[in-house]
Amino acid sequence: MIFDTHAHYDDEAFDEDRAELLASMKENGVVHIVNVGASIATTQNTLKLVKEYPFMYGAVGVHPSETAELNDEWLKWLKSVATSERIVAVGEIGLDYYWDEPDRDIQKKWFIEQLKLAHEVKMPVIIHSREAASDTYEIMKEYEAEKLGGIVHCFSYSVEMAKQFLDMGFYLGIGGVLTFKNAKKLREVVEYMPMDRLVLETDCPYLSPEPNRGKRNSSLNLGYVADAVAAIKGISRDEVERITFENALQVYKINL
Ligand code: NI
């Protein structure tokens, strides 16, 4: 039983076969998926997908690289849709200094506004943070993200940073990168972190694991990531699936 905690099935990479692909999830052991908004348009798409597919949940939010489009009106709209049925988180929100656009001040402003929104609606957050570890951490501290809880998605930092986010009560999202040859740092993080804070994610269509690296990703590939976690932790793949499934329900406050 696999729970994909972070996917983008509204992406145009799925336009040709979205319905068939999503219809094949259950028979392949993928029981639930959270589709994550990354802009106003993709949040609108997420709301539609969640309505159409009862096994899917959604997150509403604007990714740091898309924050130039935000204004007070759209923020109000995000708040109004955050309480829709099967919407379980605010995200993905955060800071991205890799692409480094728009200006960091704009990214920070809307990261903070969306954290405040999460407090208002009392929902967990999905954090996107790339090459911005300390600013992300400081803003989360200042705006009491430990009271919200959530996931640091596609975790890419060191063991030291992992400890700080774990101490704040956050879960770490682990995906295809774990299977890459050069992922030594991430393997160390997985070795270090407790199993009860690990959630599986694809970030599909991106970040396909080995042996499918470079191809379009989907939740059907999450078994490879579960295998990689199992090997590092010295437990069975079934255990990994069972524990991470429970973790996903816990972090998103889903009562089945
Ligand atoms: Ni994403």
Side-chain angles (χ1 to χ4, degrees):
M1 294 230 302
I2 283 185
F3 195 130
D4 185 351
T5 60
H6 191 120
H8 302 282
Y9 279 105
D10 57 298
D11 193 279
E12 61 183 12
F14 298 109
D15 280 354
E16 271 183 22
D17 59 349
R18 183 176 296 106
E20 298 96 288
L21 185 60
L22 289 173
S24 74
M25 288 298 157
K26 208 172 177 187
E27 70 203 45
N28 287 290
V30 179
V31 179
H32 292 296
I33 296 169
V34 172
N35 205 76
V36 179
S39 63
I40 294 300
T42 58
T43 293
Q44 288 166 336
N45 294 339
T46 295
L47 293 164
K48 276 186 221 150
L49 269 180
V50 165
K51 260 202 191 115
E52 200 173 337
Y53 296 94
F55 74 101
M56 293 181 87
Y57 295 86
V60 300
V62 174
H63 181 290
S65 304
E66 304 291 335
T67 46
E69 71 173 353
L70 270 174
N71 56 37
D72 293 342
E73 287 309 303
W74 281 125
L75 191 71
K76 262 186 221 152
W77 178 79
L78 281 172
K79 188 180 166 186
S80 73
V81 295
T83 49
S84 312
E85 212 181 334
R86 294 206 311 287
I87 296 302
V88 292
V90 173
E92 54 188 294
I93 63 174
L95 300 172
D96 193 318
Y97 295 172
Y98 176 79
W99 296 108
D100 219 11
E101 262 176 44
D103 280 358
R104 293 181 182 187
D105 285 347
I106 297 174
Q107 294 191 34
K108 285 180 189 169
K109 172 190 158 84
W110 293 110
F111 182 26
I112 291 167
E113 290 300 330
Q114 292 182 94
L115 283 172
K116 288 186 192 165
L117 187 161
H119 277 291
E120 287 168 24
V121 294
K122 295 191 170 58
M123 288 175 101
V125 286
I126 301 170
I127 303 292
H128 170 103
S129 178
R130 197 163 177 201
E131 295 186 10
S134 62
D135 281 3
T136 304
Y137 179 79
E138 271 157 36
I139 288 175
M140 285 169 72
K141 263 284 170 217
E142 190 177 345
Y143 292 88
E144 301 183 308
E146 71 276 5
K147 289 184 183 164
L148 301 169
I151 299 168
V152 183
H153 125 81
C154 195
F155 191 80
S156 60
Y157 298 130
S158 63
V159 166
E160 292 71 32
M161 278 314 300
K163 183 178 186 313
Q164 290 191 272
F165 288 112
L166 289 166
D167 284 347
M168 222 191 269
F170 270 69
Y171 291 68
L172 307 184
I174 304 295
V177 174
L178 186 65
T179 67
F180 297 174
K181 280 195 186 71
N182 57 358
K184 186 166 171 272
K185 197 167 74 172
L186 185 59
R187 280 193 290 273
E188 286 168 3
V189 167
V190 169
E191 208 177 331
Y192 164 79
M193 70 180 298
M195 256 328 277
D196 65 2
R197 295 291 194 79
L198 192 153
V199 288
L200 298 178
E201 62 168 46
T202 52
D203 205 20
C204 65
Y206 311 107
L207 298 173
S208 206
E210 294 289 1
N212 294 325
R213 189 172 180 179
K215 297 183 189 154
R216 183 185 75 172
N217 197 8
S218 87
S219 312
L220 302 180
N221 283 323
L222 267 180
Y224 297 114
V225 180
D227 280 339
V229 173
I232 292 169
K233 290 298 200 185
I235 57 178
S236 70
R237 170 167 159 183
D238 280 356
E239 271 296 89
V240 172
E241 290 190 13
R242 186 185 63 76
I243 297 168
T244 55
F245 194 94
E246 282 301 317
N247 294 346
L249 298 180
Q250 195 81 27
V251 68
Y252 286 133
K253 301 178 193 161
I254 296 169
N255 296 310
L256 290 180

